Amino acid sequence: MKKVRIGVLGVYRGSSMIRYCRQAENAEVVAICDKYESALNNMKTEIDSDAIRYYTSFEEFIKHDMDAVVLANYATEHAPFAIRCMEAGLHV
C-alpha cells in the first residue's frame, strides 16, 4: 500500500504528528512549514533526514508534492489555511 504523503504546518503543535508519521507504516511526512526558521532548524536536526523539505513560506509549502496537510497552527487561523490547501487540491 502506498503511504500517504503528509505536510505539517506548525512545528511545535505538529511535532506529535511528525513523530507519529516517522513510525507509521501508512504515512510519511514529506514537508514541514513554519514561519520560525529556528523551529524548522531544530526539527531538521532532530529528524536528520533528507527526505523531508522545510519551508518558511506557506505559498511554497502548498506547492510541494503531497497528499494532505495537517494544520498545527493556531486554531483561530485554520480556516484560511485550510481553504488555500483545498484550493490546491490537498486534503486537510
Side-chain angles (χ1 to χ4, degrees):
M1 176 185 281
K2 183 180 169 187
K3 289 187 176 189
V4 176
R5 297 165 299 149
I6 296 176
V8 177
L9 174 64
V11 168
Y12 295 115
R13 287 179 177 82
S15 62
S16 59
M17 177 58 74
I18 294 165
R19 288 184 185 101
Y20 167 78
C21 286
R22 292 180 67 202
Q23 298 176 9
E25 294 180 15
N26 59 350
E28 65 181 327
V29 172
V30 296
I32 300 172
C33 181
D34 200 297
K35 63 183 177 182
Y36 299 109
E37 193 167 354
S38 61
L40 285 174
N41 288 335
N42 290 341
M43 185 58 69
K44 187 175 186 177
T45 299
E46 178 182 328
I47 294 173
D48 192 30
S49 170
D50 293 333
I52 299 173
R53 293 283 313 265
Y54 298 86
Y55 298 92
T56 55
S57 165
F58 179 76
E59 300 304 319
E60 292 301 313
F61 169 70
I62 61 173
K63 293 177 187 175
H64 192 89
D65 185 21
M66 56 190 162
D67 303 309
V69 172
V70 172
L71 297 177
N73 57 336
Y74 293 115
T76 57
E77 298 175 350
H78 283 340
F81 287 101
I83 291 167
R84 294 294 314 279
C85 289
M86 289 185 282
E87 288 175 341
L90 300 167
H91 295 275
V92 179

